[in-house]
Amino acid sequence: MDYNYLADLLFPDVTLTPADMEARYPRRQLPEGAKVTRFAPSPTGYVHFGGLFPTTVSERLAHQSGGVFYLRIEDTDAKREVPGAKEALINTLAHYGIVFDEGAVIGGDKGDYGPYTQSKRREIYHVYAKQLVRDGRAYPVFTTEEELAAMNAVDKKAEVKAKDWHEDDGAQREEMLKWREFTIEEVEAHLKAGHPFVLRMLSDGDPDKKIKVTDLVRGTLEIPENDRDEVLLKSDGIPSYHFAHVVDDHLMGTTHVVRGEEWLPSLARHLMLFRFLGFKPPKYLHIAQLLTTAVDEDGKTVKKKLSKRDMGANLDDYERLGYDPICVNEYVMTLLNSNYEEWHAANPDKSSRDFEFSVKKMSVSGCLFDMNKLDDVSKNMVSRMTADEVYEKTLAWAEKFDPEFAGILKAHADTARAALGIGRGGAKPRKDIARFDEVRGYIGFMFDELFERRDEVPDNFDKADVAAAVTKYIDIYDENDDQTTWFDKIKSLAAELGFAPETKLYKKNPTEYKGHVGDISMFLRIAVTGRASSPDMYEVMRILGADTVKRRLADYVK
């Protein structure tokens, strides 16, 4: 068969050659060892939490080596595209500090290797598709209008899905072999009739043979050769993912591809395409799936892949809930590198960006996603922030998600900062806050606008004793007392009312007392804060001021 003639029949308007493309996209001039990586999502919805995994790995590999990290939008499946998803994706990643050196940005492209959106690179793909036909590596499969209409009635992805097959389906493989048999005259007749065609690569693989591949995470793998005639161009001329990403990774100079292990079954066909096109393939890292726990039908807790329906899957939720992006990134690093927590314990004041990320420390098995662990990591991080940092971050969050609280924070900035400073600093800072949406509940009692009595004194205490403690304390409270004098007054009040002034005295002779000094403190805490648990009461009262403290005490016993 005259493949040059066939190529001209199928692509009469394509006049550029692969050499023209190579000249348009010259090899990158980078330092030795520099890596070029990318994040290449489809704009089909929100950013999955799992998306931070390959993104973080790619960013670290590129930037730690003095290379380039770029964003490519893979939008070849127009039917699944969600309006605005691209912009939302870019903004979400920016929120988590994912900085791209080049690629798709809102309003255009940044860099010399664009367009960075696949739907705008149709001309490029057709150049290489035509060359594959010239080389006898690709062939057309025509679909009549009647067949296309019938398939569309069943499935909108008809010509891609219905013309595919499974390795274990002999009947479909026989159909594939029939597609390979055609004449130039049949092609001419189809084209004259206006019939669309799907372009497939002509596989030369033998599934009974295996090829050795080195994966930078998993080591040496042996995988079956590809014997599937993969779709390269759909009937509308749009490339498949498999074809587009091979062309793009070559022209954009990608050196390392980081993707989920679910892509391993496609690796052989991708490597075949690189070989057919004469391209050097990038190095691959197939990273472990992100897992979560679930309860099966037998009531047992099992591990499963984190899906879009699981809590914590939507990355936008973390901003809404008030997780600091630094904390989320910190948690991701604990999952990606087994030695990260040990490093951070030895370097508590350093950023995760200072950590030397290592592919060798990545897990081959699945990483378990745990919201409780995320909270623990976040509490540790927030506890080391200054009061001013927590205030500013909380205010920024509240202005977007809780305007009422934002107004209160701005109206009482000094009080808020002082309250957030209680127990902060030192070797063992308080770890009450994991998310900024928790700040309202944590210090809300400090503001009259949010003050409410959430807790009551337990019923085992005599109400007369409670009222007496609160009433008498109004007369003895002095905001100028130091902490020792302040507590001595509470101990004296306890003794006066028949409560042990020392907890140890009560434990030694519990029948001789109505309770102990801690109970008196609890009465006062509930009266002043409306809750049984709060930050240090001496500091709380000092910040609130004598007038507010005495007013709340008096209101409690009315």
Side-chain angles (χ1 to χ4, degrees), residues 22 33 55 62 76 105 107 112 115 122-123 131 137 167 257 289 307 343 374 391 424 483 500 504 537 544:
E22 298 294 332
T55 311
T76 57
V105 297
D112 298 327
R122 179 188 178 109
E123 171 197 43
Q131 186 61 45
R137 297 294 196 180
E167 291 87 340
V257 171
Q289 290 183 332
S307 72
W343 174 87
L374 170 60
Y391 172 81
R424 195 163 291 279
Q483 191 159 13
K504 62 182 179 182
M537 270 301 292
L544 286 174

Side-chain angles (χ1 to χ4, degrees), residues 383-526:
S383 73
R384 292 197 294 271
M385 296 177 185
T386 67
D388 284 345
E389 286 178 309
V390 179
Y391 172 81
E392 294 297 341
K393 288 174 179 287
T394 302
L395 178 59
W397 171 86
E399 286 180 326
K400 188 171 183 179
F401 297 101
D402 189 351
E404 180 195 25
F405 189 44
I408 292 171
L409 287 174
K410 286 188 282 189
H412 307 286
D414 290 343
T415 297
R417 291 177 193 272
L420 289 169
I422 298 175
R424 195 163 291 279
K428 294 183 179 180
R430 291 183 66 96
K431 298 178 180 179
D432 302 276
I433 302 168
R435 314 184 315 240
F436 298 126
D437 72 337
E438 296 174 339
V439 174
R440 180 179 182 131
Y442 179 59
I443 64 169
F445 67 87
M446 298 293 296
F447 316 109
D448 286 340
E449 298 95 322
L450 299 178
F451 178 74
E452 60 178 344
R453 301 198 182 280
R454 298 194 317 198
D455 299 322
E456 296 293 339
V457 173
D459 292 336
N460 58 301
F461 291 102
D462 189 303
K463 287 183 170 50
D465 287 332
V466 176
V470 172
T471 301
K472 289 179 177 294
Y473 189 73
I474 295 174
D475 295 328
I476 62 175
Y477 176 68
D478 186 342
E479 63 181 337
N480 296 312
D481 288 340
D482 60 27
Q483 191 159 13
T484 299
T485 304
W486 170 83
F487 192 56
D488 283 343
K489 287 183 176 181
I490 296 177
K491 290 195 289 185
S492 297
L493 178 60
E496 180 183 344
L497 296 175
F499 289 71
E502 303 283 351
T503 304
K504 62 182 179 182
L505 294 177
Y506 177 76
K507 289 181 177 180
K508 187 175 182 179
N509 298 295
T511 58
E512 294 185 11
Y513 302 100
K514 297 178 181 179
H516 55 77
V517 65
D519 297 322
I520 298 296
S521 295
M522 181 257 293
F523 303 160
L524 300 176
R525 185 185 304 274
I526 290 176

Side-chain angles (χ1 to χ4, degrees), residues 123-418:
E123 171 197 43
I124 298 171
Y125 305 128
H126 283 214
V127 168
Y128 287 98
K130 185 172 185 176
Q131 186 61 45
L132 287 174
V133 176
R134 287 189 189 282
D135 294 339
R137 297 294 196 180
Y139 64 92
V141 178
F142 284 90
T143 307
T144 66
E145 292 182 5
E146 292 77 11
E147 289 172 330
L148 191 59
M151 289 190 294
N152 276 330
V154 177
D155 192 316
K156 291 186 177 180
K157 297 178 183 176
E159 70 275 20
V160 179
K161 235 179 183 180
K163 292 290 186 182
D164 217 332
W165 69 92
H166 302 286
E167 291 87 340
D168 59 351
D169 193 328
Q172 291 191 20
R173 179 163 179 78
E174 285 184 17
E175 184 180 2
M176 179 199 78
L177 296 176
K178 291 179 182 179
W179 297 338
R180 296 177 174 184
E181 302 297 327
F182 60 89
T183 66
I184 287 290
E185 290 74 22
E186 288 173 334
V187 172
E188 290 175 325
H190 276 298
L191 291 174
K192 185 176 181 180
H195 296 158
F197 67 88
V198 169
L199 189 72
R200 288 184 176 272
M201 75 173 179
L202 182 60
S203 169
D204 63 0
D206 181 348
D208 294 327
K209 295 181 180 179
K210 292 188 176 182
I211 56 176
K212 285 189 176 181
V213 181
T214 299
D215 183 281
L216 295 187
V217 173
R218 299 166 184 276
T220 301
L221 304 174
E222 287 193 354
I223 57 178
E225 290 185 355
N226 171 63
D227 68 331
R228 301 177 58 157
D229 287 2
E230 190 63 55
V231 171
L232 302 180
L233 295 180
K234 306 170 195 176
S235 62
D236 55 5
I238 298 297
S240 66
Y241 161 78
H242 305 286
F243 182 44
H245 100 276
V246 168
V247 172
D248 291 342
D249 280 341
H250 170 70
L251 293 180
M252 294 179 181
T254 308
T255 63
H256 292 68
V257 171
V258 181
R259 59 187 187 183
E261 62 185 355
E262 65 271 17
W263 286 105
L264 274 170
S266 300
L267 182 57
R269 69 189 87 157
H270 294 164
L271 292 175
M272 180 176 286
L273 267 173
F274 275 105
R275 175 165 59 86
F276 282 1
L277 289 164
F279 300 158
K280 179 183 177 181
K283 295 178 180 179
Y284 283 94
L285 297 83
H286 290 88
I287 63 178
Q289 290 183 332
L290 191 59
L291 305 176
T292 187
T293 56
V295 179
D296 65 13
E297 295 178 354
D298 297 325
K300 296 180 180 179
T301 299
V302 296
K303 294 179 180 179
K304 72 177 192 68
K305 180 181 178 181
L306 183 70
S307 72
K308 290 184 176 182
R309 295 180 296 275
D310 292 320
M311 175 60 188
N314 189 341
L315 198 55
D316 289 335
D317 287 343
Y318 296 88
E319 181 184 7
R320 176 178 54 80
L321 291 171
Y323 284 102
D324 192 297
I326 295 175
C327 300
V328 176
N329 290 335
E330 181 88 359
Y331 176 57
V332 169
M333 290 302 299
T334 68
L335 295 175
L336 284 175
N337 260 193
S338 57
N339 62 326
Y340 179 76
E341 290 185 82
E342 180 181 351
W343 174 87
H344 190 73
N347 301 275
D349 297 326
K350 289 188 176 182
S351 163
S352 62
R353 301 287 176 183
D354 298 321
F355 173 70
E356 187 173 346
F357 178 82
S358 172
V359 172
K360 296 179 181 179
K361 294 293 184 178
M362 294 184 68
S363 172
V364 176
S365 59
C367 302
L368 185 62
F369 173 80
D370 184 348
M371 290 291 288
N372 292 327
K373 179 63 181 295
L374 170 60
D375 281 349
D376 287 342
V377 169
S378 189
K379 284 179 180 179
N380 284 329
M381 296 291 289
V382 175
S383 73
R384 292 197 294 271
M385 296 177 185
T386 67
D388 284 345
E389 286 178 309
V390 179
Y391 172 81
E392 294 297 341
K393 288 174 179 287
T394 302
L395 178 59
W397 171 86
E399 286 180 326
K400 188 171 183 179
F401 297 101
D402 189 351
E404 180 195 25
F405 189 44
I408 292 171
L409 287 174
K410 286 188 282 189
H412 307 286
D414 290 343
T415 297
R417 291 177 193 272

Side-chain angles (χ1 to χ4, degrees), residues 23-78:
R24 182 185 297 181
Y25 300 103
R27 298 303 88 193
R28 294 177 182 271
Q29 301 301 310
L30 295 171
E32 184 177 354
K35 299 175 177 63
V36 179
T37 63
R38 43 74 163 177
F39 182 48
S42 299
T44 56
Y46 64 79
V47 184
H48 192 281
F49 182 86
L52 271 185
F53 272 55
T55 311
T56 301
V57 175
S58 296
E59 186 274 334
R60 291 288 77 203
L61 289 176
H63 291 158
Q64 284 185 173
S65 65
V68 176
F69 178 45
Y70 70 91
L71 175 64
R72 185 172 73 224
I73 302 298
E74 299 192 338
D75 60 344
T76 57
D77 191 349

